[in-house]
Amino acid sequence: MSPLAAPAVDEDVDLARRPDPDRPWQTVVWDDPVNLMSYVTHVFREYFGLPRAEAERLMLAVHNDGHAVVSQGARERMELHAQAMHDYGLWATVRQEPA
């Protein structure tokens, strides 16, 4: 019988740092070298139902600033949006709104 190994412990984890339940979560789409700007606009219009002008504004933010917040709300919903963006081939993450 082999002895049980102790799990590795990360001593640098700050357990006091927790998500703030009062701050909303965001879905962030990031720039990539693959997708055309017209395709990103199409995805924003099709998935989020945005008018062309708003979809183009967000697409330009992704292109020029490197990312754009495309949705904000409950964490679970933002995770669904991020997964949908992945399904369209876009790079997206979820974060809590910066303080």
Side-chain angles (χ1 to χ4, degrees):
M1 192 181 276
S2 64
L4 295 176
V9 177
D10 185 352
E11 301 287 333
D12 296 331
V13 173
D14 182 3
L15 297 177
R17 200 173 137 211
R18 297 178 185 206
D20 180 352
D22 295 328
R23 287 198 342 258
W25 290 80
Q26 300 173 328
T27 301
V28 182
V29 173
W30 298 87
D31 194 21
D32 66 57
V34 177
N35 292 296
L36 297 173
M37 292 189 293
S38 59
Y39 177 70
V40 175
T41 300
H42 164 76
V43 170
F44 292 167
R45 292 191 73 204
E46 183 173 293
Y47 180 77
F48 292 107
L50 298 173
R52 179 179 300 279
E54 179 66 7
E56 287 176 349
R57 184 188 70 76
L58 289 170
M59 173 277 296
L60 286 171
V62 170
H63 179 71
N64 295 324
D65 302 334
H67 69 284
V69 174
V70 296
S71 188
Q72 187 167 296
R75 181 178 185 171
E76 293 78 13
R77 186 153 176 85
M78 297 307 102
E79 289 172 351
L80 290 173
H81 291 330
Q83 182 59 54
M85 295 299 98
H86 297 168
D87 293 344
Y88 279 102
L90 302 182
W91 179 25
T93 57
V94 173
R95 70 178 184 196
Q96 196 162 31
E97 180 182 65

